[in-house]
Amino acid sequence: IASATGVIASLLYLATQVRQNNRASAVAAKLASTRLLSEFVDALIEDPELMKLWLIGRADSETLDEVERARFANMCLKAFWFFSAAQFQRRIGTLQEDEWTEFYAVIRFWLEGEGVRAWWRRTGKARFGKRFATFIDDEIIDLRNARASE
């Protein structure tokens, strides 16, 4: 009886530790993702040239020269790596719905830009896995349908 009680107590202790570890991991992931997005926005705020590049590229990346288009493409690539990681976390269940809602709003904002969609079609899509590419393609279709119904 004493051994069984000890085993049960040990299992309860381990379960508590695992739960605390999971919470700590979730908090760390949320803080890291928020920091990454914040650093990106900070870069735009601090560098007017970068902000201008992003605004013009988001609207119509074809108006950019070759170097600007490459810079804009790298901005998109970096952002979509971030989005891909968030979508992966959601898919495997480590990102709660509230956090996903925040990411999703940012993803939709990016996809509203014609220049971003052009980058996705031209080179972006080929750089990501099938699941994420399908997710983004579906979002683009959804945005197109929403605009058509307005």
Side-chain angles (χ1 to χ4, degrees), residues 87-88 91-92 128-138:
Q87 198 265 345
F88 170 76
R91 197 173 66 241
I92 65 169
F128 291 90
K130 184 178 179 179
R131 284 184 182 175
F132 181 70
T134 299
F135 165 74
I136 293 297
D137 285 343
D138 290 346

Side-chain angles (χ1 to χ4, degrees), residues 78-95:
K78 187 172 185 178
F80 277 68
W81 282 333
F82 177 71
F83 301 154
S84 175
Q87 198 265 345
F88 170 76
Q89 288 176 329
R90 178 180 186 240
R91 197 173 66 241
I92 65 169
T94 59
L95 190 66

Side-chain angles (χ1 to χ4, degrees), residues 61-75:
S61 58
E62 297 305 314
T63 62
L64 301 173
D65 66 33
E66 185 178 353
V67 172
E68 291 170 332
R69 203 168 21 258
R71 286 183 73 201
F72 179 73
N74 284 323
M75 290 171 72

